[in-house]
Amino acid sequence: MGEVIVITSGKGGVGKTTTTANLGTGFALLGKKVVLVDADIGLRNLDVVMGLENRIVYDLVDVTEGNCRLKQALIRDKRYESLYLLPAAQTRDKNAVNPDQMKVLCSDLAEEFDYVIIDCPAGIEQGFKNAIAGADRAIIVTTPEVSAVRDADRIIGLLESEGKHDPKLVVNRIRPHMVKKGDMMNIDDIIEILAIDLLGIIPEDEYIVISTNRGEPAVVSPVALASIAYKNIVRRLLGENVPLMTIESNEGFFYKLKKVFGF
Amino acid sequence: MQEDVIFKGSKTGLQLLLSETADFGNIIQQLKEKLESATNFFSKGCIVKVPIANRVLTTEQQQQLTSLFADYGLKWKEVQDPSVSDEQPAAEPTPKPMIITKTLRGGQEIMYSGAVIIMGDVNPGAKVTAGGDIVISGACRGVAHAGAYGDEKATITAKRLIASQLRIADVIARSPDNLDDFIQPDYTETACIKDGAVVIEPAKQQYTFN
């Protein structure tokens, strides 16, 4: 029986889809059997980020409505054999599915896969309720902005009221030099307000833009900063104790990072 | 404007509650306005009960009332109403404090008739409304409303009192726009009403948390 993880944030544009794609690919890199579920019905993106858009035949709504079997709707990744995608329907909306159907779907997928990673839509309405319904645990993605942190706080509260406690936090798009100058919220400020465990931090990295446009998750790159950060998160989710990336430094980020990795 | 005259409907008919303190001339004036504005509502011959516990009327005042009611085809009589005397605060038992053992997140709201104790933070966008005091063991960043039923002696205490808005009874205070310019004290603080305004001062010893 695998684990169902929902990636959520409340606010849009903080990197839920990017995080889903990278964590999923990261698990697959380590040989885990993973399925990514796009719960953003009507505004599907995960297939594009994964570069699998042209292979979609059936989608999540087809599965819940019984138009096809679950296996028929799963798309195997073009790079990794153990990575699959269940795409969202684009011609429908969030009300096409209900939380009970999602619960059944998630438990069916968890039978087959080690990890089921759900990309939650922005907002707190039906789409959010669907996405979290079948999840065993939640990862909250936020950026170092007051608005994103507010929304993350609201989401943590809503998850608690659904009985999903102890979510983990990923802080995305940190810009070390801005944090150093005091122009950006630092990690401690965010943790103090949200009061949940930090799973990892992802530095702002242009490579994310490049990889997203290419349809190839950044985690595939051996050198990109964001790639290393996502790999660290994957290892932490697997139970390894990986120290956080150091972001404050006087000698510059690259220098410090090189020191951390010992070359 | 505060209403000195209140009509209250109950199973036994209409009741007229008069303010204990207002000038009788004002009362008659307001009563006249009310009767005038709702002539259809008061059917002729209706008897309005006036609880005497509410306000003791002199003979002259009683006559004024009678003639005013008569103009609108109404009658009134004095009643001994137990429900009115029951509303004295002394008869009301104070509810036990409500204890919340988690952090209140944005969008979450607590409403309670007595005191509220929160073992955690109150985050931005969360709201606590209490009939009595509010005590928060962590940071108060949201909105806290103590003494919501008008108790001006109610207080709000938090280890870090940086609420976006504090309300006690019907007095409202908001945080300054340049909050960052203020040095955050590292001791527990209490907000209370002094001279009609909400003031924040160091908390008394018994509210200090570790």
Side-chain angles (χ1 to χ4, degrees):
Chain A
M1 197 64 185
E3 192 173 27
V4 185
I5 303 173
V6 62
I7 313 287
T8 181
S9 72
K11 192 174 178 297
V14 297
K16 288 179 294 296
T17 303
T18 308
T19 302
T20 307
N22 281 291
L23 294 187
T25 310
F27 278 123
L29 277 168
L30 297 175
K32 301 287 175 193
K33 213 174 169 211
V34 190
V35 61
L36 309 179
V37 179
D38 191 349
D40 203 347
I41 300 164
L43 289 168
R44 73 177 177 208
N45 289 143
L46 188 55
D47 52 320
V48 184
V49 173
M50 296 297 293
L52 301 172
E53 190 183 13
N54 53 8
R55 300 170 195 220
I56 298 174
V57 180
Y58 295 112
D59 55 47
L60 191 151
V61 176
D62 286 323
V63 176
T64 55
E65 289 185 347
N67 299 336
C68 69
R69 281 174 289 113
L70 179 54
K71 285 233 167 99
Q72 286 177 294
L74 294 176
I75 302 168
R76 186 158 79 202
D77 186 72
K78 53 190 173 192
R79 293 159 293 257
Y80 301 101
E81 287 223 335
S82 63
L83 180 61
Y84 287 80
L85 170 72
L86 178 57
Q90 184 69 329
T91 53
R92 307 290 293 271
D93 64 23
K94 313 284 192 264
N95 298 318
V97 183
N98 66 45
D100 289 333
Q101 289 172 324
M102 284 300 286
K103 274 184 199 163
V104 173
L105 180 73
C106 289
S107 66
D108 287 351
L109 287 169
E111 304 259 325
E112 291 283 319
F113 292 90
D114 299 326
Y115 289 95
V116 180
I117 304 182
I118 303 168
D119 183 21
C120 177
I124 55 172
E125 294 83 16
Q126 187 68 35
F128 167 75
K129 288 172 189 155
N130 288 339
I132 65 162
D136 301 320
R137 62 195 293 194
I139 294 176
I140 315 270
V141 182
T142 188
T143 55
E145 290 159 54
V146 182
S147 50
V149 174
R150 284 289 157 88
D151 290 0
D153 183 60
R154 177 97 169 97
I155 290 294
I156 297 166
L158 291 171
L159 285 167
E160 262 171 22
S161 62
E162 292 290 323
K164 300 190 192 302
H165 296 279
D166 207 17
K168 303 279 185 259
L169 183 70
V170 170
V171 182
N172 197 10
R173 309 192 70 171
I174 285 268
R175 298 191 204 182
H177 64 281
M178 286 187 74
V179 174
K180 211 174 83 189
K181 278 200 290 179
D183 292 337
M184 184 174 254
M185 283 180 97
N186 70 39
I187 305 289
D188 293 340
D189 296 342
I190 300 170
I191 297 290
E192 193 194 324
I193 291 181
L194 298 181
I196 59 172
D197 293 342
L198 183 64
L199 185 63
I201 51 175
I202 317 288
E204 174 87 49
D205 188 348
E206 283 182 1
Y207 190 74
I208 291 284
V209 181
I210 299 167
S211 67
T212 301
N213 290 341
R214 261 194 220 154
E216 181 187 278
V219 76
V220 172
S221 156
V223 288
L225 283 180
S227 162
I228 295 162
Y230 276 121
K231 279 181 192 140
N232 284 349
I233 292 178
V234 169
R235 283 163 64 198
R236 287 187 199 111
L237 283 169
L238 290 168
E240 273 183 64
N241 193 1
V242 187
L244 276 184
M245 266 180 155
T246 328
I247 56 159
E248 296 100 7
S249 94
N250 297 322
E251 307 97 331
F253 190 26
F254 274 94
Y255 180 85
K256 192 78 176 228
L257 195 80
K258 280 178 183 167
K259 254 185 15 189
V260 169
F261 288 94
F263 55 84
Chain B
M1 190 188 75
Q2 203 199 324
E3 292 210 324
D4 298 321
V5 178
I6 296 163
F7 277 103
K8 215 172 153 185
S10 69
K11 275 184 210 156
T12 54
L14 270 179
Q15 264 193 16
L16 175 64
L17 303 180
L18 302 175
S19 159
E20 288 172 60
T21 49
D23 176 57
F24 192 73
N26 279 343
I27 287 183
I28 289 291
Q29 186 58 38
Q30 282 187 32
L31 192 55
K32 207 166 183 174
E33 280 166 21
K34 280 214 167 169
L35 291 169
E36 194 60 54
S37 65
T39 37
N40 291 333
F41 178 72
F42 301 103
S43 48
K44 300 255 187 275
C46 178
I47 297 173
V48 179
K49 293 171 186 164
V50 182
I52 50 167
N54 215 223
R55 185 181 178 118
V56 180
L57 300 169
T58 64
T59 327
E60 195 189 333
Q61 287 170 341
Q62 287 184 9
Q63 279 168 0
Q64 264 183 287
L65 209 55
T66 312
S67 69
L68 179 63
F69 274 128
D71 290 345
Y72 296 90
L74 303 173
K75 286 175 187 162
W76 70 280
K77 67 169 185 185
E78 277 185 322
V79 289
Q80 196 99 38
D81 189 347
S83 77
V84 173
S85 54
D86 264 2
E87 280 172 24
Q88 299 300 319
E92 232 174 64
T94 327
K96 279 187 181 163
M98 177 191 260
I99 299 174
I100 315 265
T101 53
K102 59 167 197 166
T103 289
L104 284 191
R105 308 279 181 180
Q108 293 178 332
E109 188 173 6
I110 296 290
M111 284 183 88
Y112 185 60
S113 57
V116 174
I117 299 169
I118 293 164
M119 311 299 286
D121 297 344
V122 175
N123 274 359
K127 192 176 171 191
V128 185
T129 308
D133 294 350
I134 296 173
V135 182
I136 299 160
S137 76
C140 178
R141 304 184 184 92
V143 175
H145 188 180
Y149 304 128
D151 179 6
E152 297 195 349
K153 290 197 192 75
T155 60
I156 301 166
T157 303
K159 190 165 179 192
R160 290 183 64 207
L161 197 51
I162 40 179
S164 55
Q165 208 179 83
L166 290 174
R167 303 181 194 166
I168 297 176
D170 51 4
V171 184
I172 299 180
R174 68 167 174 81
S175 67
D177 289 327
N178 50 345
L179 191 66
D180 292 344
D181 299 346
F182 290 82
I183 297 160
Q184 276 297 318
D186 55 359
Y187 47 80
T188 306
E189 292 182 300
T190 296
C192 57
I193 294 187
K194 275 199 178 153
D195 301 327
V198 175
V199 296
I200 296 178
E201 46 192 34
K204 290 177 204 135
Q205 197 59 38
Q206 64 260 37
Y207 277 147
T208 310
F209 296 95
N210 292 314

